[in-house]
Amino acid sequence: MCPTLFTSGDAAAAKASELLQSLSDVDNAVRRNQILAQAVELYCSAADHLNLPLVCLRLEQMHYYSGIIDLALTAAAKIDPFNLGSQYLADPENKGQIPEIRNMYSRRTSCYKCITDLFDRVVSTPASDLPVLRSDSPNEQLESLVRKCLASKDELCHTAVFDWMMERSFSEQILKCITLATLQVNSPFVEQYLYRKIHAHPLANERYMDLLWKLFEKNRQCMSAAQLLIVLAEKESTRIGLEQRILYLSRAIICAKSQPDGSIEQNELLQEAQDKFDVTAYFPFDNRKV
């Protein structure tokens, strides 16, 4: 006998597609959302066998953005149930040589691209093109979607979102409150993300170092913030001017003074920051790194 070609996953996807088609006859918003939720649940049951970009595009046309995130995260988890792709983050040079790990990382990355592609289209949507039933602006939608992603425990997803934020951090269309630049993100992975970027770009990592000291300060790790600020102030880089170096050192002094323990280490760090500030601020021509 020939094996059955139409699997249970195919049946679930077909049923989900039928549900989406039925929405053309549904005007009630509550009922529409119920049907969309049912469709996404069915798609999720077969998430690792779908044409994910195509399904996500259909959901986007229905303006069911949260369902896209749920589906993409589910697909990534089903594709890589043993979380092999995350090993690539810790050691891409060596782990990337292992075909299975490299393949899992690549396949999961394609899932998250459905999410970041959605972000791009949301921020480029004029307010006049929003559905009548939506009262939130594109930026408000984006903030909600980003926070939904960062509520997941998927480190690779967080990394994809952080990369997207960094690439577009200067766009006027994106709310400052959700960019990494203001660190208004609640993610257990942001510190490791910044460390990886700093080590991956040793000759041009000022941007990530600048974010890391702000993260330290935000988390009241004042000594770590002060130490990193001193490193930034002394970094050999034409991208950091004299005025910025002085600002880094003055901030290092503030951070060192903010540490409540009054330890010998704190006093030494405070003195170091103060000495370097005095030299840089009052004898700028002696600063060879500018």
Side-chain angles (χ1 to χ4, degrees), residues 45-86:
S45 68
D48 51 335
H49 298 295
L50 295 175
N51 182 335
L52 191 63
L54 181 61
V55 173
C56 287
L57 187 58
R58 291 195 66 189
L59 292 173
E60 184 181 339
Q61 292 168 347
M62 304 292 179
H63 303 286
Y64 196 53
Y65 301 154
S66 64
I68 293 173
I69 294 174
D70 289 335
L71 181 56
L73 289 171
T74 300
K78 283 180 173 289
I79 286 170
D80 184 16
F82 299 107
N83 200 25
L84 295 178
S86 290

Side-chain angles (χ1 to χ4, degrees), residues 10-275:
D10 294 328
K15 177 60 177 176
S17 182
E18 290 176 6
L19 287 173
L20 294 185
Q21 291 175 359
S22 72
L23 288 172
S24 59
D25 300 322
V26 179
D27 295 324
N28 182 275
V30 174
R31 181 56 184 155
R32 283 182 64 86
N33 283 334
Q34 289 175 341
I35 293 174
L36 284 166
Q38 291 172 9
V40 168
E41 185 176 356
L42 287 167
Y43 277 133
C44 283
S45 68
D48 51 335
H49 298 295
L50 295 175
N51 182 335
L52 191 63
L54 181 61
V55 173
C56 287
L57 187 58
R58 291 195 66 189
L59 292 173
E60 184 181 339
Q61 292 168 347
M62 304 292 179
H63 303 286
Y64 196 53
Y65 301 154
S66 64
I68 293 173
I69 294 174
D70 289 335
L71 181 56
L73 289 171
T74 300
K78 283 180 173 289
I79 286 170
D80 184 16
F82 299 107
N83 200 25
L84 295 178
S86 290
Q87 295 182 32
Y88 182 90
L89 284 180
D91 188 7
E93 185 174 347
N94 293 314
K95 296 296 185 180
Q97 302 301 316
I98 302 174
E100 187 175 10
I101 290 177
R102 187 173 64 248
N103 180 50
M104 288 296 102
Y105 176 80
S106 177
R107 292 183 65 189
R108 286 177 63 178
T109 298
S110 68
C111 295
Y112 310 128
K113 189 175 186 303
C114 291
I115 294 175
T116 55
D117 284 350
L118 171 65
F119 290 172
D120 282 330
R121 287 190 284 269
V122 167
V123 296
S124 63
T125 301
S128 58
D129 291 347
L130 291 175
V132 175
L133 295 176
R134 294 203 73 112
S135 59
D136 49 347
S137 70
N139 278 344
E140 289 170 332
Q141 292 178 45
L142 178 63
E143 179 178 1
S144 175
L145 295 172
V146 167
R147 294 192 185 283
K148 182 177 178 66
C149 289
L150 299 185
S152 77
K153 297 180 180 180
D154 187 334
E155 184 176 8
L156 281 177
C157 178
H158 287 230
T159 298
V161 172
F162 295 155
D163 281 341
W164 182 86
M165 286 179 171
M166 294 297 291
E167 290 168 5
R168 291 152 181 81
S169 62
F170 297 108
S171 171
E172 294 180 358
Q173 295 174 303
I174 299 176
L175 284 178
K176 291 182 179 179
C177 68
I178 61 165
T179 63
L180 276 180
T182 53
L183 297 165
Q184 296 299 315
V185 293
N186 184 20
S187 167
F189 305 117
V190 64
E191 184 174 334
Q192 284 303 314
Y193 170 81
L194 292 173
Y195 272 124
R196 283 197 301 270
K197 292 296 184 180
I198 288 169
H199 292 134
H201 306 282
L203 300 180
N205 58 15
E206 299 89 351
R207 190 180 178 200
Y208 300 103
M209 293 175 71
D210 192 63
L211 291 172
L212 185 57
W213 80 256
K214 291 175 183 176
L215 180 65
F216 285 148
E217 186 181 54
K218 175 175 177 283
N219 293 337
R220 298 188 177 278
Q221 297 171 267
C222 301
M223 294 289 284
S224 296
Q227 290 167 346
L228 189 53
L229 282 160
I230 292 173
V231 171
L232 268 168
E234 296 189 299
K235 185 174 177 61
E236 295 191 30
S237 172
T238 57
R239 289 177 290 274
I240 305 177
L242 175 61
E243 183 178 355
Q244 185 61 55
R245 295 176 191 276
I246 293 172
L247 288 174
Y248 281 145
L249 289 169
S250 64
R251 195 71 190 184
I253 293 171
I254 293 172
C255 288
K257 287 181 177 179
S258 299
Q259 191 73 20
D261 59 8
S263 64
I264 295 176
E265 181 185 1
Q266 178 197 4
N267 292 331
E268 290 177 346
L269 185 62
L270 176 58
Q271 187 62 54
E272 179 186 0
Q274 186 66 61
D275 290 345

